[in-house]
Amino acid sequence: MFLHCQKSNRWQLRAYVYQARDLLAGDSNGLSDPFARIAFMDKSMVTEKLDKTLCPTWDQSLIFENLMIYGDPLAIAQKPPEIVVEIFDHDTFGAAEFLGRTKMCPMVKLDPGDPKVPVLQWYNIRKGNQEGGELLAAFELFLMNGKDLPFLPPKRGALYIVPNGIRPVMQRTAIEVMSWGVRNMRKFQLASVTSPSIEFEVGGHVVQSKIIKNTKRNPNFDEPILFFDIMLPKEELYTPPLNIRVRDNRQFGRKPVVGIHVIKSLEEF
């Protein structure tokens, strides 16, 4: 069976990759240095790499220019080609480690002046039969028919960010954490966890507890109240998770991560 297409059209894809949560750990410290690769048709682009996180906020727009797609634009609007997003853990030495994949279809605009706006959605990431977290993103595919396309998104340095109207609306938010102490810490690298501290991270903002000097004598923190004053999305759907990392403060300045927990939603609190 052969398929003959007489005419191709030029298109532009805009990929709005905002954040991910609950990614798989690619490093021995229980974290990853994740980046996303977006593949569409015969082209691909990557986001920037973020360090030591399972819940990255890339807040990045990727622009695929001059895509040649054969077929009737009306048929493409009804059934657009799939977009494949793959998540990788960056390694300084050696190839990047694959962490999972997800697929979706873009919103198609045959008229660049169409006022419809794509909505950020959560897409499930999988690595084989294993759940690999979720990706918050949106995509729109423009037919380049001679009309002016919408303005490109604003930039952060050399990178395009997710534009207003698509990105979440932010509001000033206060988060109070009662960090009482630790219990039943397992050994890490054959050594007991005796001097832990805890990092609480939301949307790239980190608050760190004091160090417990000796858990055998007293497993509680001297100052248990921690406080965030940050800008977070107004809609609960887009609120980034609260990442909790326990570090053991060891000799020679070593601070290995000995425990991780992610609270997906703060709504119940």
Side-chain angles (χ1 to χ4, degrees):
M1 183 174 69
F2 296 91
L3 178 64
H4 295 279
C5 295
Q6 300 297 326
K7 184 180 179 182
S8 65
N9 293 281
R10 290 192 304 128
W11 300 76
Q12 184 192 83
L13 175 70
R14 299 187 181 185
Y16 308 114
V17 184
Y18 192 70
Q19 68 182 25
R21 64 188 182 193
D22 288 350
L23 297 181
L24 297 176
D27 297 333
S28 58
N29 60 6
L31 301 172
S32 292
D33 303 315
F35 66 92
R37 174 176 291 138
I38 294 85
F40 184 72
M41 305 296 291
D42 60 344
K43 295 186 178 181
S44 67
M45 300 181 72
V46 297
T47 66
E48 65 177 334
K49 180 261 299 181
L50 299 181
D51 295 328
K52 298 179 181 179
T53 178
L54 300 181
C55 303
T57 299
W58 289 293
D59 187 10
Q60 192 171 343
S61 296
L62 301 174
I63 313 297
F64 291 73
E65 300 279 9
N66 294 318
L67 296 165
M68 303 302 294
I69 304 178
Y70 285 87
D72 183 358
L74 292 175
I76 293 172
Q78 293 179 358
K79 191 175 181 180
E82 277 190 328
I83 300 166
V84 178
V85 181
E86 295 181 325
I87 310 297
F88 292 88
D89 170 42
H90 172 81
D91 288 324
T92 304
F93 303 102
E97 180 180 352
F98 175 67
L99 298 178
R101 176 186 296 115
T102 186
K103 297 180 181 180
M104 67 288 291
C105 290
M107 172 190 285
V108 178
K109 292 187 176 180
L110 301 180
D111 180 1
D114 189 334
K116 289 188 300 184
V117 177
V119 177
L120 291 171
Q121 298 182 54
W122 288 106
Y123 297 96
N124 293 324
I125 300 168
R126 298 196 67 85
K127 183 180 181 181
N129 295 324
Q130 185 179 10
E131 294 184 358
E134 297 173 288
L135 174 73
L136 183 61
F139 305 86
E140 55 184 345
L141 182 64
F142 294 96
L143 175 63
M144 302 179 70
N145 56 6
K147 296 183 179 181
D148 291 336
L149 296 179
F151 291 117
L152 290 174
K155 280 189 170 184
R156 180 184 64 244
L159 302 176
Y160 292 108
I161 63 174
V162 176
N164 291 329
I166 299 176
R167 67 186 299 111
V169 177
M170 310 297 280
Q171 66 179 1
R172 189 181 180 191
T173 307
I175 302 175
E176 187 177 68
V177 179
M178 167 69 81
S179 180
W180 189 255
V182 297
R183 302 291 188 275
N184 303 319
M185 295 297 297
R186 295 182 180 180
K187 291 185 177 181
F188 181 78
Q189 295 177 345
L190 304 180
S192 297
V193 176
T194 58
S195 300
S197 60
I198 302 183
E199 294 175 354
F200 298 89
E201 185 262 328
V202 180
H205 298 268
V206 179
V207 172
Q208 185 169 337
S209 72
K210 299 290 186 179
I211 298 172
I212 296 177
K213 295 181 179 179
N214 190 326
T215 54
K216 294 181 180 179
R217 294 181 180 176
N218 181 12
N220 297 331
F221 292 101
D222 293 335
E223 299 178 14
I225 302 298
L226 303 174
F227 190 78
F228 286 90
D229 182 356
I230 57 176
M231 300 297 292
L232 288 180
K234 189 174 183 179
E235 296 184 59
E236 177 65 25
L237 174 66
Y238 302 139
T239 301
L242 174 63
N243 305 300
I244 303 172
R245 294 186 289 268
V246 183
R247 294 184 180 273
D248 192 24
N249 296 265
R250 298 183 173 181
Q251 293 180 336
F252 309 110
R254 294 193 305 120
K255 298 180 180 181
V257 176
V258 298
I260 296 174
H261 184 70
V262 176
I263 298 176
K264 285 187 178 182
S265 174
L266 298 175
E267 186 175 13
E268 63 180 297
F269 303 104

